[in-house]
Amino acid sequence: QQPVQSPQAVILREGEDAVINCSSSKALYSVHWYRQKHGEAPVFLMILLKGGEQKGHEKISASFNEKKQQSSLYLTASQLSYSGTYFCGTGGHGGTYNQGGKLIFGQGTELSVKP
Amino acid sequence: KAGVTQTPRYLIKTRGQQVTLSCSPISGHRSVSWYQQTPGQGLQFLFEYFSETQRNKGNFPGRFSGRQFSNSRSEMNVSTLELGDSALYLCASSLGTGSGETQYFGPGTRLLVL
């Protein structure tokens, strides 16, 4: 039931782009993306909802393919501050809103941006 | 607006003891979820509380329990601590309890069981 993230790790140079994927075996209502730096709490980046609604940041975008239960996070023109571990959390397993706030997280993707 | 706060931030206990962790959600948020984070198992859902009622529960033994107060503050308790309970315990708050609600995490309580 845990979503699978790929790649597990990626190293970038400043200014390069990256894509992180999240795949679930269950129908979903929502996909939540977070970034966590070492020793800190996860920070909210983006939420994608069934039906296509998307909320998030300017320089970070994401897509959600409901039929395939897959989401991708796009980081463009990466900056040093983008370094950290990215987690996707899936919610509403079964595809409905009324499943409460339980999120199941992937194993994380470690992203390192070098100067 | 203040973020999610958790106390204490660090805790050292010995096996067999019990521990209580506290979480204060963002003002106006009524849902609090708890997660355990370890290097081996990653981020795992413990339980969610909304309007003082447990809404969801993860696959953890009964030693893990929680509650929520009328002001939405939440506590979780772990009884008879085991070495494997050493982890970062995170709480997250959201406005409501639907699957499309954004959850905001607190800084966490790092528990070490010796």
Side-chain angles (χ1 to χ4, degrees):
Chain A
Q1 196 173 0
Q2 181 185 33
V4 176
Q5 288 185 232
S6 63
Q8 287 189 308
V10 59
I11 299 175
L12 298 174
R13 292 286 181 189
E14 268 189 297
E16 292 182 336
D17 301 339
V19 180
I20 300 171
N21 300 301
C22 175
S23 180
S24 173
S25 60
K26 299 254 183 186
L28 304 171
Y29 184 85
S30 61
V31 179
H32 308 234
W33 286 96
Y34 291 85
R35 176 173 61 217
Q36 185 177 32
K37 294 183 182 284
H38 184 69
E40 299 180 8
V43 173
F44 169 74
L45 295 175
M46 177 84 58
I47 182 172
L48 300 109
L49 306 178
K50 183 179 177 180
E53 187 177 353
Q54 175 178 316
K55 310 172 193 177
H57 293 232
E58 285 185 9
K59 294 187 178 181
I60 298 174
S61 62
S63 63
F64 178 24
N65 186 321
E66 297 165 27
K67 290 184 179 179
K68 295 185 177 180
Q69 294 94 51
Q70 291 177 349
S71 177
S72 294
L73 184 72
Y74 306 96
L75 305 167
T76 57
S78 60
Q79 306 167 15
L80 296 177
S81 62
Y82 283 11
S83 293
T85 302
Y86 289 76
F87 292 97
C88 70
T90 56
H93 305 92
T96 59
Y97 174 84
N98 193 27
Q99 295 289 318
K102 176 180 178 178
L103 295 180
I104 300 177
F105 284 91
Q107 78 279 20
T109 295
E110 190 170 349
L111 187 141
S112 181
V113 181
K114 306 290 186 186
Chain B
K1 189 182 270 191
V4 179
T5 58
Q6 292 187 244
T7 56
R9 294 292 311 278
Y10 304 92
L11 209 47
I12 300 175
K13 292 284 187 179
T14 56
R15 278 183 301 174
Q17 287 186 308
Q18 75 167 20
V19 66
T20 299
L21 312 181
S22 180
C23 172
S24 292
I26 293 171
S27 178
H29 285 197
R30 297 171 61 197
S31 176
V32 173
S33 297
W34 288 89
Y35 296 85
Q36 181 196 65
Q37 186 174 32
T38 60
Q41 300 298 317
L43 267 165
Q44 292 188 288
F45 174 80
L46 280 157
F47 28 66
E48 178 200 10
Y49 285 88
F50 177 76
S51 292
E52 302 178 64
T53 302
Q54 189 177 83
R55 183 78 168 81
N56 271 298
K57 190 176 189 309
N59 296 325
F60 279 82
R63 300 184 297 106
F64 291 82
S65 63
R67 59 178 176 169
Q68 187 180 35
F69 302 94
S70 58
N71 62 357
S72 295
R73 189 178 69 86
S74 178
E75 288 182 348
M76 67 163 282
N77 183 276
V78 187
S79 62
T80 320
L81 284 166
E82 301 177 359
L83 295 179
D85 296 334
S86 294
L88 179 66
Y89 290 89
L90 294 158
C91 79
S93 79
S94 58
L95 276 170
T97 182
S99 304
E101 298 285 339
T102 298
Q103 296 186 25
Y104 298 93
F105 282 90
T109 293
R110 191 166 295 279
L111 172 65
L112 177 62
V113 182
L114 301 175

